Structures are given as C-alpha cells and as structure tokens.
Amino acid sequence: MIKNIAIVSLSSGTIGEDFVKHEVDIGIKRLHDFGTTVTFMPHALKGMQYVKNHPAERAADLLQALRDPDMDMILCAIGGDDTYRLLPYLFERNELADAVSNKVFLGFSDTTINHFMLHKVGMKTFYGQSFLADVCELDKDMLPYTKKYFEELISTGTIKEVRPSDIWYEGRTDFGVDQVGIPLKSHPDHGFELLQGNPVFSGEILGGCIDSIYDCFNGDRYGDMPLLCKKYKLFPEIEDWTGKILLLESSEEKMPPQTYRKAVLAQKETGIFDVISGVLVGKPMDETYVQEYKQILVEGIDHPGLPIVCNLNIGHAQPRCIIPFGVEATVDIENQVIRFAN
C-alpha cells in the first residue's frame, strides 16, 4: 500500500498557478481520501515561469524524492515539453544513477523523456496518468476506468492486467471553476484493434508520447534537444529494444499526418522495427486523424509481420489505464487483455 506520494513538476509548472487552484484542491482531497499523504516537492508549486527557467531545481526535486526513504511514489504533476533540459543535472555526474530507488514513478506525455531517463539507470516505471490530468478531474470523481487503475497501483504497487474501456471521452476544453462537477461527453468504444501481425505477442513495454520521442531526433521545437539526447544516449540503444514492445501515443497537439509520418520514419531509421516484438498505439485524442495514423503506421513501419495494436486507452485520450514498463507483458488481442508478470 502506497502511503506517501511526492508530487513533482518535471515539465510544466502549471499546478503552481492560481487558475488551476480549484483543480489542485480537488486532487489533494482525493489523494487524502485514498489514505495517502501528499508532499509537493520544493519547486513543484512555484509556477510556470519559475519552473521553466529552473531545470536544475526540477532535477533536484526528482533526486530528493528518489532519495527520501519515506516516499513510496513519485507522481508527475503534468506533462509539458522541455523536461529534456534536466539531462545535464541528472547524468553529468551520475546523479540519477546514485539516487535511484525502488519507488513507483507515474507520469505520461512529456514525462516520456523522464521514463527514458529512469530506464537508463535501471528503474521500472509506470506510464499513463498524472496528477492534474487525472486525479484532479473536474467531474464529481475521477473517471471510473482511470480510477480503477490508479487505485490498483496505489493499493498494490503494481498493475496485473489492462483491458479496454467500454467508453471514451472527448477532451475537456474549459477547466474553469464553473466546470466543477460537469461530466465529459462520452462515446462507446470498441476495444483493442489488431492492425496486422499475430494477435498474441510478448515483451517488456517501453515508449510513450510520439511527439516527445520525435523531438529526440528533430530539433524543430528545441534546437538543442536532439544534441542533448544524443550526448546522454537518452533514446535506448538498438540492443536494448530487442524483444521489447514499443508504446506510442499522440498528444493534445493532434500531430498532423505528415508530421506523424516523419515521427514514425525517424524511429524506423534507428532500426527499432527490425528488433521489437510489437507496437501498441494509444487512441488519439478526440479520435482525430485515427484512420490516417493507422495507414501511416502500416506503411511507415513497413514490417507486415510485426504486430501493431491500436485503440489502447493510454495517453492523451481519456479514460486512461496505467502500463508498467520493465516487466514482461503478454498482449492477447483475441481475449482483449494485456497481462503483466509481476
């Protein structure tokens, strides 16, 4: 049972802004109702401008949370787009490797980069939810499917299996105080969808937000990001990908198909699709470009025998499950389940 949760702002400092205080208050109460103690790390609530300008302090918060023996779980506040700037403060003198400990780490979106960082030093992590995006949901409670996996994680420290949601929700566009208690618009969902390849395959899962992964190779957003990622060998070496399952999900920016194709091809150039055992793809937010993305995945990956499974409830479309990284997973599409060896 997870008792003590440390909240970190490793990307954006949104949770420190007044305009989200009503959301943060909701989230704190929910975490307390789960029976947990909540600690905001020293710089987590300092606001967007401060957090953006002080990557060293963001890194220090992560290291402090990892070293604190009383902290059971590190929960990322929200994503963003520049957590790569923590790299020098975590790897220049082996700071992260020296601090790493057996804790639950949960986040998604730009936090993909933090997952790669922690994978590099041998720490198993959990992908799929964050404090502001999930625990602070403005409806009367967390979304039921999302809450189910969050509760499992904090009560057992692991996830045994993931099954699809019966419904999906349109993204919320207004987060004002007057939206408290207002439900999201929902639609029926149709389960995991096999695009190609065998319906059963296994391997450890690794990956995350395709936008963030593409930024590791492409400097359009931040010119120095590919340079830093290359310097610190952030994207795992090809040997590390052998036998793994690649997870890809797309952000709220709703990447245009032509950019999505470039993002897939950038990964193809690494040789990753020659060595992995399968690809899992999250449902796009609001189902935007869903058919275009499927076509690009098949054409861009260009490995007809490689299993590609779409429509997972993971990433930016709600609701969200939680996927463990670093443990053996068996994907079984015929039975609509992903099971994890714990």
Side-chain angles (χ1 to χ4, degrees):
M1 174 70 185
I2 286 168
K3 290 292 187 186
N4 299 313
I5 297 177
I7 296 180
V8 292
S9 294
L10 303 181
S11 298
S12 173
T14 308
I15 62 166
E17 299 294 335
D18 286 342
F19 66 82
V20 297
K21 186 179 184 305
H22 59 291
E23 296 178 75
V24 171
D25 289 345
I26 289 169
I28 293 170
K29 183 181 185 306
R30 286 188 184 143
L31 290 179
H32 288 159
D33 288 345
F34 281 128
T36 64
T37 300
V38 183
T39 301
F40 290 91
M41 299 311 289
H43 306 94
L45 291 170
K46 292 206 169 180
M48 295 170 74
Q49 200 59 46
Y50 183 94
V51 168
K52 183 175 182 62
N53 292 336
H54 295 85
E57 281 82 346
R58 286 185 259 166
D61 281 359
L62 175 61
L63 295 172
Q64 183 179 333
L66 284 167
R67 293 186 184 117
D68 189 335
D70 293 330
M71 291 302 161
D72 306 310
M73 176 179 183
I74 301 171
L75 176 60
C76 290
I78 190 69
D81 65 5
D82 75 340
T83 200
Y84 79 93
R85 294 170 63 209
L86 278 59
L87 278 163
Y89 309 103
L90 296 175
F91 288 97
E92 197 59 41
R93 289 179 292 277
N94 294 318
E95 293 92 339
L96 189 61
D98 291 342
V100 76
S101 56
N102 185 26
K103 300 182 192 297
V104 169
F105 177 92
L106 177 63
F108 77 105
S109 192
D110 187 46
T111 307
T112 297
I113 302 302
N114 305 124
H115 285 282
F116 281 157
M117 293 174 181
L118 291 165
H119 172 77
K120 194 170 168 61
V121 295
M123 184 170 163
K124 298 174 182 178
T125 58
F126 294 85
Y127 192 90
Q129 297 181 12
S130 72
F131 175 65
L132 190 59
D134 295 287
V135 183
C136 302
E137 164 58 40
L138 289 174
D139 203 348
K140 293 183 178 69
D141 199 354
M142 290 177 68
L143 301 177
Y145 179 89
T146 302
K147 182 179 181 180
K148 170 181 177 287
Y149 289 101
F150 188 78
E151 274 193 299
E152 180 182 356
L153 183 59
I154 63 170
S155 60
T156 70
T158 190
I159 300 290
K160 286 188 176 179
E161 65 177 37
V162 165
R163 294 182 182 270
S165 173
D166 294 333
I167 57 173
W168 65 274
Y169 302 89
E170 294 182 16
R172 196 181 289 278
T173 55
D174 184 351
F175 294 86
V177 177
D178 60 343
Q179 296 301 302
V180 174
I182 303 296
L184 292 164
K185 186 175 181 182
S186 65
H187 303 269
D189 212 340
H190 60 273
F192 303 151
E193 181 182 343
L194 184 67
L195 278 190
Q196 64 175 42
N198 293 328
V200 180
F201 55 98
S202 299
E204 293 182 5
I205 300 174
L206 185 63
C209 181
I210 191 170
D211 308 60
S212 299
I213 295 172
Y214 184 40
D215 289 342
C216 293
F217 305 102
N218 173 61
D220 286 354
R221 194 188 305 265
Y222 292 108
D224 62 338
M225 183 167 172
L227 302 173
L228 280 173
C229 290
K230 187 174 182 180
K231 177 180 179 179
Y232 295 104
K233 297 181 178 176
L234 182 72
F235 191 78
E237 302 284 345
I238 196 68
E239 298 78 20
D240 197 4
W241 283 107
T242 302
K244 283 191 170 62
I245 297 170
L246 173 65
L247 172 67
L248 296 175
E249 56 91 5
S250 46
S251 82
E252 78 285 353
E253 294 180 356
K254 300 178 179 178
M255 187 185 279
Q258 60 268 31
T259 311
Y260 195 88
R261 185 180 297 274
K262 290 177 184 175
V264 171
L265 292 177
Q267 291 175 78
K268 183 177 176 64
E269 286 178 15
T270 70
I272 189 174
F273 299 123
D274 297 324
V275 300
I276 58 175
S277 64
V279 181
L280 299 176
V281 185
K283 176 190 280 291
M285 196 170 178
D286 299 325
E287 291 202 331
T288 305
Y289 300 130
V290 65
Q291 296 304 327
E292 291 91 338
Y293 288 176
K294 287 178 193 175
Q295 183 177 348
I296 290 165
L297 286 162
V298 170
E299 293 174 354
I301 290 173
D302 193 25
H303 269 263
L306 184 68
I308 302 175
V309 175
C310 292
N311 205 52
L312 268 72
N313 303 107
I314 190 78
H316 287 73
Q318 291 178 289
R320 290 182 262 266
C321 67
I322 294 172
I323 288 182
F325 287 170
V327 300
E328 188 74 7
T330 299
V331 181
D332 182 348
I333 298 309
E334 289 173 342
N335 291 300
Q336 292 284 294
V337 64
I338 304 171
R339 294 190 174 92
F340 302 99
N342 293 296

